[in-house]
Amino acid sequence: MSPSEAAIPIGEMPPVRVVALVMAAGRSRRFGATDKRCASLADSRPLLASAVERAAGAFDDCYVVLREDDDPEALGLLPDTRLIRAVHADRGLGSSLAEAVGVLDALSGAEAVAVLLGDMPDIAPATLASLGRAARRDTVLCPVHGGRPGHPVLFGRALWPELAALRGDRGAREVVHRHASRLHLIHVEDPGIHRDVDTLADLDSRQGAIRPGGSGPGGERGVTP
């Protein structure tokens, strides 16, 4: 069954509570010796902190997934940032996502989770807001621009047990594929849903970006279908 591209009848159903999960526990070996999460953007904010700020402003709650030994202050995160420590982060994105969703299931009263990557600071706030309004307990939402799917992907709570069962570096793509009938594509005018920072060249290509000043997340781009 192909994904639905029809608009979800938002006005007919009340919005649900959505929690953001910013994945930032990987090691970005392609970026080099420095930690790209500390890379300075044009406004001098660190890369990860900028992505987290956008997510926190768009959803009801926001959690950042870090490694056990990460120092959130060194990454530029605010003292009140909600953290989830991924004990098995080195096993891959799937394992980190599974751990994080397991924590959310116990702590959060949300009906959907927005899975964001910590190296994507250019997603428009309007895109995040529109996805949040369209979220439902039993759907998967994916933004599309120029015919290409992007990030973030939102999973209704009915899908959380399968996210919590992920292992290794496979990410959530397999969950999306298993539930194609629940997938809704949300068309947006936002190229930021495709724009990540994997390398120094990616950072330099951003308009006005400058070189990093920090001391790496990443991993498989396995969330979108």
Short mmCIF file of all heavy atoms in Angstrom, two decimals, residues 96-165:
data_model
loop_
_atom_site.label_atom_id
_atom_site.label_comp_id
_atom_site.label_asym_id
_atom_site.label_seq_id
_atom_site.Cartn_x
_atom_site.Cartn_y
_atom_site.Cartn_z
N SER A 96 20.49 3.36 20.02
CA SER A 96 20.27 4.61 20.76
C SER A 96 18.80 5.01 20.73
O SER A 96 18.24 5.44 21.75
CB SER A 96 21.13 5.73 20.17
OG SER A 96 22.49 5.48 20.34
N LEU A 97 18.17 4.88 19.57
CA LEU A 97 16.77 5.24 19.44
C LEU A 97 15.90 4.32 20.29
O LEU A 97 14.96 4.78 20.96
CB LEU A 97 16.35 5.17 17.98
CG LEU A 97 14.90 5.53 17.64
CD1 LEU A 97 14.56 6.93 18.14
CD2 LEU A 97 14.66 5.42 16.15
N ALA A 98 16.23 3.04 20.31
CA ALA A 98 15.46 2.09 21.11
C ALA A 98 15.55 2.44 22.59
O ALA A 98 14.53 2.44 23.32
CB ALA A 98 15.98 0.68 20.88
N GLU A 99 16.75 2.74 23.08
CA GLU A 99 16.92 3.12 24.49
C GLU A 99 16.11 4.37 24.81
O GLU A 99 15.43 4.45 25.84
CB GLU A 99 18.39 3.38 24.78
CG GLU A 99 19.25 2.14 24.85
CD GLU A 99 20.65 2.48 25.32
OE1 GLU A 99 20.81 2.85 26.50
OE2 GLU A 99 21.59 2.39 24.51
N ALA A 100 16.20 5.37 23.93
CA ALA A 100 15.53 6.63 24.18
C ALA A 100 14.01 6.48 24.20
O ALA A 100 13.33 7.04 25.07
CB ALA A 100 15.94 7.66 23.12
N VAL A 101 13.46 5.73 23.26
CA VAL A 101 12.02 5.53 23.22
C VAL A 101 11.55 4.76 24.44
O VAL A 101 10.47 5.02 24.99
CB VAL A 101 11.60 4.82 21.91
CG1 VAL A 101 10.14 4.40 21.95
CG2 VAL A 101 11.84 5.75 20.72
N GLY A 102 12.37 3.81 24.91
CA GLY A 102 12.03 3.10 26.13
C GLY A 102 11.93 4.03 27.32
O GLY A 102 11.02 3.90 28.16
N VAL A 103 12.83 5.00 27.41
CA VAL A 103 12.77 5.99 28.49
C VAL A 103 11.53 6.87 28.34
O VAL A 103 10.81 7.12 29.31
CB VAL A 103 14.04 6.86 28.50
CG1 VAL A 103 13.90 8.02 29.47
CG2 VAL A 103 15.26 6.01 28.85
N LEU A 104 11.26 7.32 27.12
CA LEU A 104 10.09 8.16 26.89
C LEU A 104 8.80 7.44 27.25
O LEU A 104 7.87 8.04 27.80
CB LEU A 104 10.02 8.59 25.42
CG LEU A 104 11.03 9.62 24.93
CD1 LEU A 104 10.74 9.95 23.47
CD2 LEU A 104 11.00 10.87 25.77
N ASP A 105 8.74 6.17 26.96
CA ASP A 105 7.53 5.40 27.24
C ASP A 105 7.21 5.40 28.72
O ASP A 105 6.05 5.38 29.12
CB ASP A 105 7.71 3.96 26.73
CG ASP A 105 6.40 3.21 26.66
OD1 ASP A 105 5.39 3.82 26.26
OD2 ASP A 105 6.38 2.01 27.00
N ALA A 106 8.27 5.45 29.54
CA ALA A 106 8.08 5.45 30.99
C ALA A 106 7.84 6.85 31.56
O ALA A 106 7.13 7.01 32.55
CB ALA A 106 9.30 4.82 31.66
N LEU A 107 8.43 7.86 30.91
CA LEU A 107 8.39 9.21 31.48
C LEU A 107 7.34 10.13 30.87
O LEU A 107 6.85 11.03 31.53
CB LEU A 107 9.76 9.88 31.29
CG LEU A 107 10.95 9.29 32.04
CD1 LEU A 107 12.19 10.12 31.73
CD2 LEU A 107 10.69 9.26 33.54
N SER A 108 7.04 9.92 29.61
CA SER A 108 6.27 10.91 28.86
C SER A 108 4.82 10.50 28.70
O SER A 108 4.50 9.33 28.52
CB SER A 108 6.91 11.11 27.48
OG SER A 108 6.08 11.88 26.65
N GLY A 109 3.95 11.49 28.73
CA GLY A 109 2.54 11.26 28.44
C GLY A 109 2.20 11.59 27.00
O GLY A 109 1.04 11.77 26.65
N ALA A 110 3.24 11.68 26.15
CA ALA A 110 3.03 12.07 24.76
C ALA A 110 2.38 10.94 23.97
O ALA A 110 2.50 9.76 24.31
CB ALA A 110 4.36 12.44 24.12
N GLU A 111 1.71 11.33 22.89
CA GLU A 111 1.07 10.37 21.99
C GLU A 111 1.85 10.19 20.69
O GLU A 111 1.48 9.36 19.86
CB GLU A 111 -0.36 10.82 21.67
CG GLU A 111 -1.28 10.79 22.88
CD GLU A 111 -1.44 9.39 23.44
OE1 GLU A 111 -1.77 8.47 22.68
OE2 GLU A 111 -1.21 9.21 24.65
N ALA A 112 2.92 10.99 20.52
CA ALA A 112 3.76 10.86 19.33
C ALA A 112 5.15 11.39 19.65
O ALA A 112 5.31 12.23 20.54
CB ALA A 112 3.17 11.62 18.14
N VAL A 113 6.15 10.87 18.93
CA VAL A 113 7.52 11.34 19.09
C VAL A 113 8.04 11.82 17.74
O VAL A 113 7.84 11.16 16.72
CB VAL A 113 8.43 10.25 19.68
CG1 VAL A 113 8.47 9.01 18.79
CG2 VAL A 113 9.84 10.78 19.91
N ALA A 114 8.68 12.97 17.75
CA ALA A 114 9.35 13.51 16.56
C ALA A 114 10.83 13.19 16.68
O ALA A 114 11.50 13.67 17.60
CB ALA A 114 9.14 15.01 16.46
N VAL A 115 11.33 12.36 15.79
CA VAL A 115 12.74 11.96 15.82
C VAL A 115 13.53 12.90 14.93
O VAL A 115 13.36 12.92 13.71
CB VAL A 115 12.91 10.50 15.37
CG1 VAL A 115 14.39 10.10 15.45
CG2 VAL A 115 12.06 9.57 16.23
N LEU A 116 14.39 13.70 15.55
CA LEU A 116 15.22 14.66 14.83
C LEU A 116 16.68 14.29 14.96
O LEU A 116 17.09 13.63 15.92
CB LEU A 116 15.01 16.07 15.39
CG LEU A 116 13.59 16.64 15.37
CD1 LEU A 116 12.94 16.53 16.73
CD2 LEU A 116 13.59 18.10 14.92
N LEU A 117 17.48 14.74 13.99
CA LEU A 117 18.92 14.53 14.03
C LEU A 117 19.59 15.82 14.50
O LEU A 117 19.23 16.92 14.05
CB LEU A 117 19.44 14.12 12.66
CG LEU A 117 18.81 12.86 12.09
CD1 LEU A 117 19.36 12.56 10.69
CD2 LEU A 117 19.01 11.66 13.01
N GLY A 118 20.57 15.68 15.37
CA GLY A 118 21.19 16.85 15.98
C GLY A 118 22.07 17.66 15.07
O GLY A 118 22.57 18.72 15.47
N ASP A 119 22.27 17.20 13.83
CA ASP A 119 23.11 17.96 12.89
C ASP A 119 22.29 18.58 11.77
O ASP A 119 22.80 18.83 10.68
CB ASP A 119 24.21 17.06 12.31
CG ASP A 119 23.66 15.86 11.55
OD1 ASP A 119 22.43 15.69 11.51
OD2 ASP A 119 24.48 15.09 11.00
N MET A 120 21.00 18.83 12.05
CA MET A 120 20.14 19.46 11.04
C MET A 120 19.51 20.73 11.64
O MET A 120 18.39 20.70 12.14
CB MET A 120 19.05 18.48 10.58
CG MET A 120 19.61 17.23 9.91
SD MET A 120 18.33 16.16 9.20
CE MET A 120 17.76 17.16 7.81
N PRO A 121 20.22 21.85 11.60
CA PRO A 121 19.75 23.07 12.24
C PRO A 121 18.88 23.96 11.36
O PRO A 121 18.45 25.03 11.81
CB PRO A 121 21.05 23.80 12.57
CG PRO A 121 21.94 23.43 11.42
CD PRO A 121 21.60 22.00 11.06
N ASP A 122 18.60 23.54 10.11
CA ASP A 122 17.94 24.44 9.17
C ASP A 122 16.48 24.11 8.90
O ASP A 122 15.85 24.72 8.02
CB ASP A 122 18.69 24.44 7.84
CG ASP A 122 20.10 25.00 7.98
OD1 ASP A 122 20.29 25.90 8.81
OD2 ASP A 122 20.99 24.54 7.25
N ILE A 123 15.90 23.17 9.62
CA ILE A 123 14.49 22.86 9.43
C ILE A 123 13.66 24.04 9.94
O ILE A 123 13.85 24.51 11.06
CB ILE A 123 14.10 21.58 10.17
CG1 ILE A 123 14.97 20.40 9.68
CG2 ILE A 123 12.63 21.26 9.97
CD1 ILE A 123 14.77 19.13 10.49
N ALA A 124 12.75 24.51 9.12
CA ALA A 124 11.97 25.70 9.46
C ALA A 124 11.03 25.43 10.63
O ALA A 124 10.40 24.35 10.69
CB ALA A 124 11.16 26.16 8.25
N PRO A 125 10.90 26.36 11.57
CA PRO A 125 9.95 26.19 12.66
C PRO A 125 8.54 25.92 12.18
O PRO A 125 7.80 25.14 12.80
CB PRO A 125 10.04 27.54 13.40
CG PRO A 125 11.43 28.03 13.13
CD PRO A 125 11.72 27.60 11.71
N ALA A 126 8.14 26.52 11.05
CA ALA A 126 6.80 26.29 10.52
C ALA A 126 6.61 24.83 10.10
O ALA A 126 5.52 24.26 10.23
CB ALA A 126 6.53 27.21 9.33
N THR A 127 7.67 24.21 9.59
CA THR A 127 7.61 22.79 9.22
C THR A 127 7.39 21.93 10.46
O THR A 127 6.53 21.04 10.47
CB THR A 127 8.90 22.37 8.51
OG1 THR A 127 9.01 23.05 7.26
CG2 THR A 127 8.93 20.86 8.27
N LEU A 128 8.15 22.21 11.51
CA LEU A 128 8.01 21.44 12.74
C LEU A 128 6.61 21.62 13.33
O LEU A 128 5.99 20.65 13.79
CB LEU A 128 9.07 21.87 13.75
CG LEU A 128 10.53 21.68 13.31
CD1 LEU A 128 11.47 22.20 14.39
CD2 LEU A 128 10.82 20.23 13.00
N ALA A 129 6.12 22.83 13.28
CA ALA A 129 4.79 23.10 13.83
C ALA A 129 3.69 22.37 13.06
O ALA A 129 2.77 21.80 13.64
CB ALA A 129 4.51 24.60 13.84
N SER A 130 3.81 22.36 11.73
CA SER A 130 2.78 21.70 10.92
C SER A 130 2.80 20.19 11.14
O SER A 130 1.75 19.54 11.19
CB SER A 130 2.97 22.03 9.43
OG SER A 130 4.19 21.51 8.94
N LEU A 131 3.97 19.62 11.30
CA LEU A 131 4.07 18.20 11.58
C LEU A 131 3.47 17.88 12.95
O LEU A 131 2.76 16.88 13.12
CB LEU A 131 5.53 17.75 11.53
CG LEU A 131 6.17 17.71 10.14
CD1 LEU A 131 7.69 17.59 10.26
CD2 LEU A 131 5.62 16.56 9.32
N GLY A 132 3.76 18.72 13.92
CA GLY A 132 3.21 18.50 15.25
C GLY A 132 1.70 18.53 15.28
O GLY A 132 1.05 17.73 15.96
N ARG A 133 1.11 19.45 14.52
CA ARG A 133 -0.35 19.55 14.48
C ARG A 133 -0.98 18.33 13.81
O ARG A 133 -2.11 17.95 14.13
CB ARG A 133 -0.77 20.81 13.73
CG ARG A 133 -0.50 22.11 14.48
CD ARG A 133 -1.22 23.28 13.82
NE ARG A 133 -0.79 23.48 12.44
CZ ARG A 133 0.20 24.28 12.08
NH1 ARG A 133 0.90 24.94 13.00
NH2 ARG A 133 0.52 24.43 10.80
N ALA A 134 -0.26 17.72 12.88
CA ALA A 134 -0.81 16.60 12.13
C ALA A 134 -0.58 15.25 12.80
O ALA A 134 -1.13 14.24 12.38
CB ALA A 134 -0.22 16.56 10.72
N ALA A 135 0.23 15.22 13.86
CA ALA A 135 0.58 13.95 14.50
C ALA A 135 -0.63 13.27 15.11
O ALA A 135 -1.54 13.92 15.63
CB ALA A 135 1.64 14.19 15.57
N ARG A 136 -0.64 11.95 15.03
CA ARG A 136 -1.68 11.13 15.64
C ARG A 136 -1.03 9.90 16.26
O ARG A 136 0.08 9.51 15.90
CB ARG A 136 -2.72 10.70 14.59
CG ARG A 136 -3.49 11.85 13.96
CD ARG A 136 -4.40 12.56 14.95
NE ARG A 136 -5.12 13.68 14.34
CZ ARG A 136 -4.73 14.95 14.39
NH1 ARG A 136 -3.60 15.26 15.00
NH2 ARG A 136 -5.47 15.89 13.84
N ARG A 137 -1.74 9.25 17.15
CA ARG A 137 -1.22 8.12 17.89
C ARG A 137 -0.86 6.94 16.99
O ARG A 137 0.06 6.18 17.29
CB ARG A 137 -2.24 7.67 18.95
CG ARG A 137 -1.79 6.49 19.79
CD ARG A 137 -2.87 6.03 20.75
NE ARG A 137 -2.42 4.86 21.49
CZ ARG A 137 -1.75 4.90 22.63
NH1 ARG A 137 -1.43 6.06 23.17
NH2 ARG A 137 -1.39 3.78 23.24
N ASP A 138 -1.56 6.78 15.86
CA ASP A 138 -1.38 5.57 15.05
C ASP A 138 -0.81 5.85 13.67
O ASP A 138 -0.94 5.04 12.76
CB ASP A 138 -2.71 4.84 14.91
CG ASP A 138 -3.78 5.70 14.25
OD1 ASP A 138 -3.53 6.90 14.05
OD2 ASP A 138 -4.85 5.15 13.92
N THR A 139 -0.14 7.00 13.47
CA THR A 139 0.40 7.33 12.15
C THR A 139 1.91 7.56 12.20
O THR A 139 2.50 7.76 13.27
CB THR A 139 -0.26 8.59 11.58
OG1 THR A 139 0.04 9.71 12.43
CG2 THR A 139 -1.75 8.44 11.46
N VAL A 140 2.50 7.52 11.01
CA VAL A 140 3.88 7.96 10.81
C VAL A 140 3.82 9.15 9.86
O VAL A 140 3.17 9.08 8.82
CB VAL A 140 4.75 6.85 10.18
CG1 VAL A 140 6.18 7.33 10.00
CG2 VAL A 140 4.71 5.59 11.03
N LEU A 141 4.48 10.23 10.21
CA LEU A 141 4.50 11.43 9.37
C LEU A 141 5.91 11.69 8.87
O LEU A 141 6.88 11.57 9.62
CB LEU A 141 4.03 12.66 10.15
CG LEU A 141 2.64 12.63 10.79
CD1 LEU A 141 2.37 13.97 11.46
CD2 LEU A 141 1.58 12.32 9.76
N CYS A 142 6.00 12.08 7.61
CA CYS A 142 7.30 12.40 7.02
C CYS A 142 7.15 13.62 6.13
O CYS A 142 6.29 13.64 5.24
CB CYS A 142 7.80 11.21 6.21
SG CYS A 142 9.41 11.48 5.42
N PRO A 143 7.98 14.66 6.31
CA PRO A 143 7.91 15.81 5.42
C PRO A 143 8.55 15.51 4.07
O PRO A 143 9.49 14.71 3.97
CB PRO A 143 8.72 16.88 6.18
CG PRO A 143 9.72 16.08 6.96
CD PRO A 143 9.02 14.81 7.35
N VAL A 144 8.03 16.14 3.03
CA VAL A 144 8.54 15.95 1.67
C VAL A 144 8.74 17.31 1.02
O VAL A 144 7.87 18.18 1.10
CB VAL A 144 7.55 15.11 0.81
CG1 VAL A 144 8.04 15.02 -0.63
CG2 VAL A 144 7.38 13.72 1.40
N HIS A 145 9.89 17.49 0.37
CA HIS A 145 10.17 18.72 -0.38
C HIS A 145 10.82 18.33 -1.70
O HIS A 145 11.77 17.55 -1.73
CB HIS A 145 11.11 19.64 0.41
CG HIS A 145 11.55 20.84 -0.37
ND1 HIS A 145 10.72 21.91 -0.63
CD2 HIS A 145 12.74 21.13 -0.94
CE1 HIS A 145 11.38 22.80 -1.34
NE2 HIS A 145 12.61 22.37 -1.53
N GLY A 146 10.28 18.86 -2.79
CA GLY A 146 10.83 18.54 -4.10
C GLY A 146 10.76 17.07 -4.44
O GLY A 146 11.61 16.56 -5.17
N GLY A 147 9.77 16.38 -3.90
CA GLY A 147 9.61 14.96 -4.18
C GLY A 147 10.47 14.05 -3.33
O GLY A 147 10.42 12.83 -3.50
N ARG A 148 11.25 14.61 -2.42
CA ARG A 148 12.16 13.81 -1.58
C ARG A 148 11.73 13.88 -0.12
O ARG A 148 11.49 14.97 0.40
CB ARG A 148 13.59 14.33 -1.70
CG ARG A 148 14.23 14.16 -3.05
CD ARG A 148 15.55 14.91 -3.09
NE ARG A 148 16.41 14.54 -1.97
CZ ARG A 148 17.26 15.37 -1.37
NH1 ARG A 148 17.37 16.64 -1.78
NH2 ARG A 148 18.02 14.96 -0.38
N PRO A 149 11.65 12.73 0.56
CA PRO A 149 11.35 12.75 1.99
C PRO A 149 12.53 13.27 2.79
O PRO A 149 13.68 13.21 2.34
CB PRO A 149 11.07 11.28 2.31
CG PRO A 149 11.87 10.52 1.30
CD PRO A 149 11.83 11.36 0.04
N GLY A 150 12.24 13.80 3.96
CA GLY A 150 13.31 14.33 4.81
C GLY A 150 13.03 14.09 6.27
O GLY A 150 12.34 13.15 6.66
N HIS A 151 13.55 14.98 7.10
CA HIS A 151 13.42 14.88 8.55
C HIS A 151 12.70 16.10 9.10
O HIS A 151 12.72 17.16 8.47
CB HIS A 151 14.81 14.79 9.18
CG HIS A 151 15.52 13.50 8.93
ND1 HIS A 151 16.22 13.27 7.77
CD2 HIS A 151 15.64 12.37 9.67
CE1 HIS A 151 16.76 12.06 7.81
NE2 HIS A 151 16.42 11.49 8.95
N PRO A 152 12.10 15.97 10.30
CA PRO A 152 12.03 14.78 11.15
C PRO A 152 10.92 13.83 10.73
O PRO A 152 10.06 14.19 9.92
CB PRO A 152 11.73 15.36 12.52
CG PRO A 152 10.86 16.55 12.22
CD PRO A 152 11.46 17.13 10.95
N VAL A 153 10.94 12.63 11.30
CA VAL A 153 9.85 11.68 11.13
C VAL A 153 9.15 11.55 12.47
O VAL A 153 9.80 11.46 13.51
CB VAL A 153 10.37 10.31 10.65
CG1 VAL A 153 9.21 9.34 10.49
CG2 VAL A 153 11.12 10.47 9.34
N LEU A 154 7.82 11.59 12.44
CA LEU A 154 7.02 11.50 13.66
C LEU A 154 6.32 10.14 13.73
O LEU A 154 5.66 9.73 12.78
CB LEU A 154 5.96 12.61 13.71
CG LEU A 154 6.45 13.99 14.20
CD1 LEU A 154 7.43 14.62 13.23
CD2 LEU A 154 5.28 14.92 14.46
N PHE A 155 6.47 9.49 14.87
CA PHE A 155 5.89 8.17 15.09
C PHE A 155 4.83 8.25 16.18
O PHE A 155 5.13 8.68 17.31
CB PHE A 155 6.96 7.16 15.51
CG PHE A 155 8.00 6.89 14.46
CD1 PHE A 155 9.14 7.67 14.38
CD2 PHE A 155 7.83 5.84 13.56
CE1 PHE A 155 10.11 7.41 13.41
CE2 PHE A 155 8.79 5.59 12.59
CZ PHE A 155 9.94 6.37 12.51
N GLY A 156 3.61 7.81 15.85
CA GLY A 156 2.58 7.72 16.86
C GLY A 156 2.93 6.67 17.89
O GLY A 156 3.70 5.74 17.63
N ARG A 157 2.35 6.80 19.07
CA ARG A 157 2.71 5.92 20.17
C ARG A 157 2.43 4.44 19.88
O ARG A 157 3.08 3.56 20.44
CB ARG A 157 1.97 6.35 21.44
CG ARG A 157 2.54 5.71 22.68
CD ARG A 157 2.09 6.40 23.95
NE ARG A 157 2.84 5.91 25.08
CZ ARG A 157 3.35 6.66 26.04
NH1 ARG A 157 3.19 7.98 25.99
NH2 ARG A 157 4.00 6.12 27.06
N ALA A 158 1.50 4.17 19.00
CA ALA A 158 1.22 2.78 18.64
C ALA A 158 2.43 2.10 18.03
O ALA A 158 2.53 0.86 18.05
CB ALA A 158 0.04 2.72 17.66
N LEU A 159 3.37 2.89 17.48
CA LEU A 159 4.58 2.33 16.86
C LEU A 159 5.76 2.27 17.81
O LEU A 159 6.81 1.69 17.48
CB LEU A 159 4.97 3.16 15.63
CG LEU A 159 4.17 3.01 14.33
CD1 LEU A 159 4.24 1.60 13.83
CD2 LEU A 159 2.75 3.48 14.47
N TRP A 160 5.64 2.84 18.99
CA TRP A 160 6.78 2.91 19.90
C TRP A 160 7.36 1.55 20.29
O TRP A 160 8.58 1.42 20.40
CB TRP A 160 6.41 3.71 21.15
CG TRP A 160 6.26 5.18 20.91
CD1 TRP A 160 6.10 5.82 19.71
CD2 TRP A 160 6.22 6.20 21.90
NE1 TRP A 160 5.96 7.17 19.89
CE2 TRP A 160 6.03 7.44 21.23
CE3 TRP A 160 6.30 6.21 23.29
CZ2 TRP A 160 5.94 8.65 21.89
CZ3 TRP A 160 6.21 7.41 23.97
CH2 TRP A 160 6.04 8.63 23.28
N PRO A 161 6.53 0.53 20.54
CA PRO A 161 7.13 -0.77 20.89
C PRO A 161 8.09 -1.29 19.83
O PRO A 161 9.12 -1.91 20.17
CB PRO A 161 5.90 -1.69 21.03
CG PRO A 161 4.80 -0.77 21.44
CD PRO A 161 5.05 0.49 20.65
N GLU A 162 7.81 -1.03 18.57
CA GLU A 162 8.72 -1.48 17.51
C GLU A 162 9.99 -0.63 17.47
O GLU A 162 11.07 -1.15 17.18
CB GLU A 162 8.01 -1.46 16.16
CG GLU A 162 6.89 -2.49 16.07
CD GLU A 162 6.28 -2.57 14.69
OE1 GLU A 162 7.04 -2.68 13.70
OE2 GLU A 162 5.05 -2.52 14.59
N LEU A 163 9.88 0.64 17.77
CA LEU A 163 11.08 1.48 17.87
C LEU A 163 11.96 1.01 19.02
O LEU A 163 13.18 0.96 18.91
CB LEU A 163 10.70 2.95 18.07
CG LEU A 163 9.95 3.64 16.92
CD1 LEU A 163 9.61 5.07 17.32
CD2 LEU A 163 10.77 3.63 15.64
N ALA A 164 11.32 0.66 20.13
CA ALA A 164 12.07 0.22 21.32
C ALA A 164 12.73 -1.13 21.11
O ALA A 164 13.61 -1.52 21.90
CB ALA A 164 11.13 0.17 22.52
N ALA A 165 12.35 -1.85 20.07
CA ALA A 165 12.94 -3.16 19.78
C ALA A 165 14.07 -3.08 18.76
O ALA A 165 14.67 -4.11 18.43
CB ALA A 165 11.86 -4.11 19.27
#
